[in-house]
Amino acid sequence: MATPDGIPSSVPEPPIGSKDQSPGSYVLVAGRRILGPLAAMFGPQCLDLGQRLGVVLAAFHFVPSGRNLVLARVNCMPPLAQEEEVDAVVRLAGEEAEGRILHDSRLRAAR
């Protein structure tokens, strides 16, 4: 998914609970919005993977492996590093709430 050669099984991962070792090595997916330093390189693939996983908010963290960057982990409760990331998540929350309100009102009207 992350490299043309595939993802090696021996990908180094940051220790669980640690801060990201490379803060600029991620893609943030918030609904259909793709942000982060690696969005141009891996954004569409991360969006597709997020949809396959059934998540609407996730940060996809990459680490170097040889000459490639490989996907090391997916964080579904990512810290938001930039103002545009916060804005994207606020918009996503509003869209999700609006969708639920519309869905609930349609169910009530059908009864």
Side-chain angles (χ1 to χ4, degrees):
M1 193 73 167
T3 67
D5 302 318
I7 300 174
S9 60
S10 59
V11 174
E13 292 188 39
I16 293 175
S18 72
K19 296 283 183 193
D20 296 326
Q21 294 174 351
S22 301
S25 61
Y26 69 94
V27 173
L28 179 73
V29 172
R32 300 211 41 86
R33 294 171 187 82
I34 303 168
L35 304 137
L38 297 178
M41 186 179 297
F42 296 121
Q45 296 89 338
C46 292
L47 177 62
D48 182 57
L49 180 56
Q51 289 174 337
R52 290 172 188 250
L53 294 172
V55 297
V56 294
L57 175 63
F60 296 83
H61 297 273
F62 294 83
V63 295
S65 179
R67 295 184 327 182
N68 295 315
L69 289 174
V70 294
L71 181 62
R73 70 187 174 107
V74 178
N75 182 353
C76 292
M77 292 182 57
L80 305 174
Q82 305 292 325
E83 187 175 329
E84 67 181 358
E85 295 172 0
V86 173
D87 185 52
V89 172
V90 167
R91 288 175 182 237
L92 172 64
E95 292 164 1
E96 288 291 310
E98 184 178 302
R100 288 197 176 115
I101 290 169
L102 289 174
H103 178 73
D104 290 346
S105 65
R106 288 183 187 139
L107 285 177
R108 280 188 232 124
R111 289 183 191 162

